[in-house]
Amino acid sequence: MNDTMLLNVTGKTALADGIYQFEFRSPDGKPLPPFTAGAHVLIETPSGIGRRYSLCNAPSERDRYVVAVKLDPGSRGGSVSMINDVKVGMRIRVSVPENYFALTDDASDYLLVAGGIGITPIHAMMAELDARAARYRLVYCTRSPETTAFLAELSSLPSSRVQIHHDYGNSDQSLDFAKLLATREGNTHLYCCGPRPLMQAVRNNASGWPSLAVHFEDFGTSVSNGEASSGFTVTLQRSGIRVNVAAGQSILEAVREAGVETPSSCEAGTCGACRTTLCSGEADHRDFVLDDDEHDRAIMICVSRAKSDELVIDL
């Protein structure tokens, strides 16, 4: 991890069923590097796995970083290690914040849509928008009150500002995104973070909105579209290296194992940092960045796979 700090764990609190909040401060009490709403940090868990988590506290708080982590028993151990192994008093390696999900300054209104643990960057956005005295509305979708982070705080806000929707695990009770996104008022910008099905529903129903006014982020809390049951080959055009991508392995992971470094950030197909030119082959696009007319010339290698036996990419 580059540009990292060893920070003290100064707080660990249960926010909801399976969700814990962690607070980090500098050992010497000095201010931490600044961040803006929507930023994330990379945390090295006690298991040695690095995971990205959105900062959910107000950007004006220079003395601490706060993240919320949802336990995912099906994960490779990042959230399990955070929740089971991290204790108050420990020192944890944390990166300097990065932001690929920043708020624009020139919107007339902001529509914030969160699903589950996707509330974390949105929570920081609310604090920043309050500081700006900007107009915004939050729509927060969760399974039940018991699984809703920041429930007491958000429930205390006016219903004109915050709408909390529970589907109780029943798709028939899902929020009507077609109605929510049917019209865009003024220069409203939409920010969405949550599980992939929710983000896809928002994307589908916001198709009439200008693309530059719709912003997505997630951190691997959702299940990828489609299956990753078979492997394929990727040829790196510039170096001539052929890389075998195994079932369940991302192109990004396979390329790194081959010793080729390439930029990435969210590793969930939403930030665009790993965008790579697609030279040939048919990709199975699973990102939330590329428009349909870009699919034959670009690929997000953190999540997308191949429909053909081989892809050639510009690395």
Side-chain angles (χ1 to χ4, degrees):
M1 294 170 62
N2 297 322
D3 297 323
T4 63
M5 306 160 283
L6 278 173
L7 301 182
N8 289 340
V9 180
T10 54
K12 179 181 180 181
T13 308
L15 289 181
D17 285 355
I19 300 176
Y20 283 79
Q21 178 176 287
F22 297 87
E23 179 186 79
F24 301 91
R25 295 178 185 263
S26 173
D28 58 13
K30 292 182 179 179
L32 296 170
F35 70 95
T36 53
H40 68 270
V41 291
L42 179 62
I43 297 176
E44 185 176 305
T45 68
S47 67
I49 297 174
R51 285 292 181 267
R52 290 170 173 81
Y53 296 107
S54 293
L55 294 169
C56 59
N57 56 312
S60 59
E61 298 178 347
R62 292 291 309 281
D63 59 335
R64 65 176 189 156
Y65 293 154
V66 179
V67 304
V69 179
K70 182 180 186 297
L71 179 63
D72 180 6
S75 76
R76 289 180 290 176
S79 66
V80 173
S81 182
M82 283 291 293
I83 290 174
N84 292 343
D85 303 335
V86 173
K87 312 294 182 186
V88 172
M90 293 177 65
R91 284 194 177 179
I92 298 291
R93 189 165 294 279
V94 180
S95 75
V96 171
E98 291 186 284
N99 197 343
Y100 291 92
F101 190 47
L103 286 165
T104 184
D105 293 326
D106 59 359
S108 59
D109 293 90
Y110 297 82
L111 176 58
L112 312 176
V113 179
I117 196 61
I119 189 63
T120 50
I122 301 297
H123 190 258
M125 287 180 171
M126 293 173 68
E128 184 166 314
L129 292 171
D130 282 334
R132 295 185 192 179
R135 294 193 301 179
Y136 69 87
R137 179 187 174 202
L138 167 68
V139 177
Y140 182 21
C141 301
T142 69
R143 177 159 296 197
S144 66
E146 294 76 21
T147 58
T148 303
F150 310 113
L151 178 61
E153 171 193 343
L154 297 175
S155 297
S156 69
L157 298 176
S159 58
S160 59
R161 176 65 61 88
V162 174
Q163 176 187 352
I164 301 176
H165 179 86
H166 308 302
D167 64 15
Y168 297 96
N170 186 343
S171 60
D172 292 337
Q173 297 186 42
S174 296
L175 188 74
D176 186 352
F177 287 109
K179 181 178 179 180
L180 175 68
L181 303 173
T183 59
R184 179 189 182 219
E185 297 182 3
N187 186 32
T188 300
H189 274 242
L190 167 63
Y191 288 81
C192 177
C193 182
R196 191 170 298 272
L198 177 139
M199 294 177 68
Q200 190 63 58
V202 169
R203 180 165 190 162
N204 290 343
N205 288 285
S207 59
W209 289 49
S211 59
L212 293 178
V214 182
H215 314 266
F216 293 97
E217 178 75 295
D218 79 12
F219 292 90
T221 58
S222 58
V223 178
S224 297
N225 292 330
E227 297 296 327
S229 57
S230 59
F232 54 96
T233 301
V234 171
T235 297
L236 312 185
Q237 187 178 59
R238 278 182 262 166
S239 62
I241 296 173
R242 289 173 59 86
V243 177
N244 293 320
V245 182
Q249 181 184 39
S250 71
I251 299 173
L252 178 65
E253 291 169 337
V255 166
R256 284 177 173 167
E257 285 185 4
V260 179
E261 289 299 320
T262 188
S264 71
S265 181
C266 73
E267 299 190 11
T270 60
C271 75
C274 71
R275 179 185 179 123
T276 305
T277 298
L278 176 63
C279 302
S280 66
E282 185 179 5
D284 178 7
H285 295 284
R286 302 181 180 188
D287 63 273
F288 289 91
V289 178
L290 297 174
D291 292 327
D292 290 346
D293 62 358
E294 298 178 284
H295 283 175
D296 62 348
R297 62 182 187 273
I299 184 173
M300 298 298 168
I301 62 173
C302 66
V303 293
S304 298
R305 298 186 64 76
K307 293 181 179 179
S308 55
D309 293 335
E310 180 181 15
L311 298 179
V312 179
I313 61 176
D314 186 26
L315 285 177

